[in-house]
Amino acid sequence: MTTPQQPSWSQQPPAPYQAQPAGPPPGRWKRLPLWQKIGIIVGAVLVLGIIGNLADSGEEEEEQTQASETAEESADSATEEEPAEQDAEPAAEEPAPEEEPEPEPEPEPEPEVEGFAGSGVFLVGTDIDPGTYRTAGPDGFGCYWARLSGTSGEFGDIIANDNLDGQGIVTIDPSDVAFETTGCSDWTLVE
């Protein structure tokens, strides 16, 4: 009895035939991501638009040049003709030069509101004028003000002071040396 022989590696059966797809392989355009396709289209539209605008402006310049040459020729021919010939076409009038629009008057600046910022030490007569000032109150957390008879920082320099939770009004006298404020909204002159 004979034993069936196994095929050796060199005797492997041929690979099965694989059918090739019909038509050309897919193009590069189909393999591009969508965002690249959109970018190419937008770029092409922009280039075509620019070229179109350049072509239009060139045509307009040519038309204007031809119109001015025609006007000059008709004006020259009208002056050469005898005055008895009035049946000829009247010379084309040159277009009136465009009038430049009158510049708009500059708006008057709004009057400055007299006042000062909501934080700092202000010298009376130098930085601020004496008078009655109003603030909307704290510009965040807490609003402190003090009228001062000096700028040494000593407790004795305080003429009057307060912590505000809301709107406040303070009268700064001409005899005050300075006014200190911290954390308040801007101060505006009332009177």
Side-chain angles (χ1 to χ4, degrees):
M1 197 158 151
T2 59
T3 57
Q5 291 186 350
Q6 294 282 335
S8 69
W9 290 106
S10 63
Q11 296 176 347
Q12 290 289 332
Y17 176 75
Q18 293 182 353
Q20 296 293 326
R28 189 170 180 201
W29 179 256
K30 289 184 179 180
R31 291 181 286 177
L32 289 177
L34 180 62
W35 65 272
Q36 285 181 340
K37 291 177 185 178
I38 292 172
I40 291 170
I41 292 171
V42 168
V45 169
L46 287 174
V47 168
L48 292 175
I50 291 171
I51 291 171
N53 282 339
L54 291 175
D56 287 345
S57 67
E59 290 174 7
E60 289 175 7
E61 289 177 9
E62 288 177 19
E63 289 174 6
Q64 289 176 353
T65 305
Q66 289 174 354
S68 63
E69 289 174 359
T70 305
E72 289 174 8
E73 289 174 6
S74 62
D76 290 342
S77 65
T79 55
E80 292 175 2
E81 293 177 8
E82 296 180 16
E85 293 182 26
Q86 294 185 4
D87 294 338
E89 289 184 27
E93 294 182 21
E94 291 185 27
E98 293 182 26
E99 295 181 18
E100 293 184 24
E102 294 181 20
E104 295 182 24
E106 294 183 23
E108 294 182 21
E110 295 182 19
E112 292 185 27
V113 177
E114 295 186 33
F116 52 94
S119 291
V121 177
F122 303 93
L123 296 175
V124 178
T126 304
D127 299 326
I128 60 173
D129 292 326
T132 301
Y133 292 88
R134 172 181 290 143
T135 182
D139 187 24
F141 180 76
C143 170
Y144 171 79
W145 64 264
R147 292 175 45 218
L148 304 172
S149 62
T151 56
S152 67
E154 297 292 322
F155 185 73
D157 287 344
I158 298 174
I159 299 169
N161 66 348
D162 196 4
N163 287 300
L164 301 173
D165 290 328
Q167 177 181 334
I169 297 177
V170 176
T171 299
I172 299 171
D173 293 332
S175 60
D176 294 352
V177 173
F179 181 77
E180 179 182 359
T181 177
T182 305
C184 300
S185 297
D186 291 350
W187 293 85
T188 55
L189 185 63
V190 177
E191 55 179 63

